[in-house]
Amino acid sequence: MVFDEIDKQLLALLQSDSKQTNKALSLKLGLSVTAVYERIKKLESSGVISKNVALVNKKKVNKAFVAFCHVKLLQHSQDYVVKFERDVAELEEVLECYHISGDYDYLLKVLVKDMEAFREFMVKKLTRIDHIGSTHSMFMINEVKHTTTITL
């Protein structure tokens, strides 16, 4: 999809605050409310905007312990990959899961309350998934940059 400057500005505004009214957006963009509405609908129907969400402050909900887990499967057969991906997608502690290249097969971003909760997650959930050969975990010391904004 080709974006004109107004689409780019609209996406930047929506990524900074998706609760802005179409009227507020129309004033910032110099468009009619209807034009803004139509552009947003076009971006949604084409899949450019996939959903609107609220970003929750980890500390305020007592889940500020972030771990990154590398996972290596025993084998790379289609069955093992499909089963692992299906099982890990059901774990509420896993915010993100990426199939990656390199020494490990997957990288998981895990969010829990503290080290004790992470240990429980590892012992009772993650390592119980079949076909995991090994894991390697790292823990966040400080969040230097975290954004959900994609610049066009």
Side-chain angles (χ1 to χ4, degrees):
M1 184 172 178
V2 179
F3 303 104
D4 64 18
E5 280 307 309
I6 292 176
D7 286 332
K8 291 176 183 179
Q9 290 174 24
L10 177 58
L11 285 167
L13 289 167
L14 290 171
Q15 287 183 93
S16 68
D17 180 5
S18 68
K19 289 186 77 173
Q20 296 178 72
T21 65
N22 288 347
K23 181 171 182 155
L25 291 166
S26 74
L27 293 171
K28 291 175 183 175
L29 296 169
L31 297 174
S32 70
V33 173
T34 303
V36 168
Y37 174 83
E38 292 299 327
R39 281 180 181 261
I40 291 171
K41 286 298 163 202
K42 181 182 84 173
L43 291 166
E44 289 173 341
S45 66
S46 67
V48 173
I49 296 175
S50 58
K51 66 168 89 171
N52 296 292
V53 299
L55 300 177
V56 176
N57 183 321
K58 297 183 288 290
K59 292 177 183 174
K60 297 287 185 182
V61 295
N62 202 22
K63 289 197 175 186
F65 189 88
V66 179
F68 296 93
C69 302
H70 287 105
V71 176
K72 188 181 293 190
L73 299 182
L74 290 172
Q75 293 181 14
H76 298 101
S77 70
Q78 183 177 355
D79 290 343
Y80 283 20
V81 167
V82 169
K83 181 168 182 351
F84 174 80
E85 290 178 3
R86 185 179 57 239
D87 290 348
V88 82
E90 294 180 13
L91 300 175
E92 68 183 31
E93 295 89 350
V94 176
L95 297 183
E96 300 172 39
C97 175
Y98 302 98
H99 195 174
I100 58 173
S101 64
D103 293 337
Y104 288 89
D105 300 312
Y106 291 91
L107 175 63
L108 311 180
K109 182 177 180 182
V110 178
L111 184 68
V112 291
K113 178 181 178 183
D114 53 23
M115 179 61 86
E116 185 178 326
F118 179 73
R119 182 183 187 286
E120 187 160 318
F121 163 77
M122 289 296 290
V123 171
K124 294 185 176 177
K125 293 185 177 182
L126 185 63
T127 58
R128 289 195 175 176
I129 294 176
D130 292 336
H131 316 303
I132 291 180
S134 64
T135 63
H136 175 82
S137 299
M138 298 169 287
F139 310 104
M140 179 185 78
I141 295 171
N142 183 36
E143 187 172 272
V144 177
K145 179 179 181 181
H146 176 263
T147 184
T148 59
T149 301
I150 299 172
T151 304
L152 301 177

